[in-house]
Amino acid sequence: ESTVRKTIAEHSLHPCIEYDAEIDLTDISGKFTRILKQFGPFGPGNMNPVFMTRDLRVKDGQAKVVGNNHLKFTVTDADEILSFDCIAFDYGTYCKQILAAPFDLCYTLEENTFNGKTTLQFNVKDICSSELNCR
């Protein structure tokens, strides 16, 4: 343990999320999601692709903690033209952080059906302040 403490790089001490592609909100369209579905079914051995989008903001400055420390919010980009609903399981403690400054998001895309209406939703895997230049 002593040798590891002396030789390990700082970045190795933090878990890393591997993502499949960095995309903008404008890349997400009906055609994009139809093509993505063709890669399914997803599960062990064929995991749902993880995407990263940088410099996002919470739409209308509203995020709320629901259930058992889950964070629910809507993201938008700087132009505020497109927006997508997000659910971040066990990320309730990030509520103030994402309201304060732009952030980068790693997520999978999923369909959410509620009251007979199906919408596209981001299932958040990680949140990082844009100032930290997450990789």
Side-chain angles (χ1 to χ4, degrees):
E1 284 185 36
S2 172
T3 302
V4 170
R5 270 191 233 113
K6 292 176 187 173
T7 59
I8 195 164
E10 176 66 27
H11 64 41
S12 296
L13 297 173
H14 304 285
C16 180
I17 297 275
E18 292 189 24
Y19 56 90
D20 296 291
E22 186 172 328
I23 61 175
D24 293 323
L25 294 185
T26 55
D27 295 325
I28 303 169
S29 64
K31 181 178 180 180
F32 180 81
T33 56
R34 283 191 301 277
I35 292 170
L36 194 59
K37 279 184 181 181
Q38 293 176 1
F39 288 98
F42 298 110
N46 187 30
M47 299 306 289
N48 208 333
V50 177
F51 299 105
M52 179 195 228
T53 303
R54 296 186 186 276
D55 202 29
L56 296 172
R57 292 157 179 76
V58 174
K59 185 176 180 180
D60 299 327
Q62 295 185 13
K64 61 183 174 181
V65 178
V66 298
N68 191 14
N69 198 37
H70 309 314
L71 188 57
K72 197 151 180 62
F73 58 100
T74 302
V75 292
T76 189
D77 56 9
D79 298 329
E80 294 189 15
I81 295 171
L82 292 173
S83 62
F84 292 92
D85 292 335
C86 300
I87 184 72
F89 295 103
D90 296 321
Y91 275 83
T93 55
Y94 282 73
C95 194
K96 289 181 182 176
Q97 176 186 333
I98 66 172
L99 293 173
F103 55 92
D104 302 339
L105 203 62
C106 285
Y107 55 92
T108 59
L109 294 170
E110 61 183 29
E111 289 183 337
N112 180 34
T113 303
F114 183 72
N115 286 337
K117 182 180 177 188
T118 301
T119 58
L120 198 58
Q121 172 178 273
F122 293 179
N123 186 331
V124 176
K125 302 302 176 192
D126 200 12
I127 301 170
C128 179
S129 170
S130 291
E131 295 172 354
L132 296 177
N133 195 17
C134 303
R135 297 177 191 215

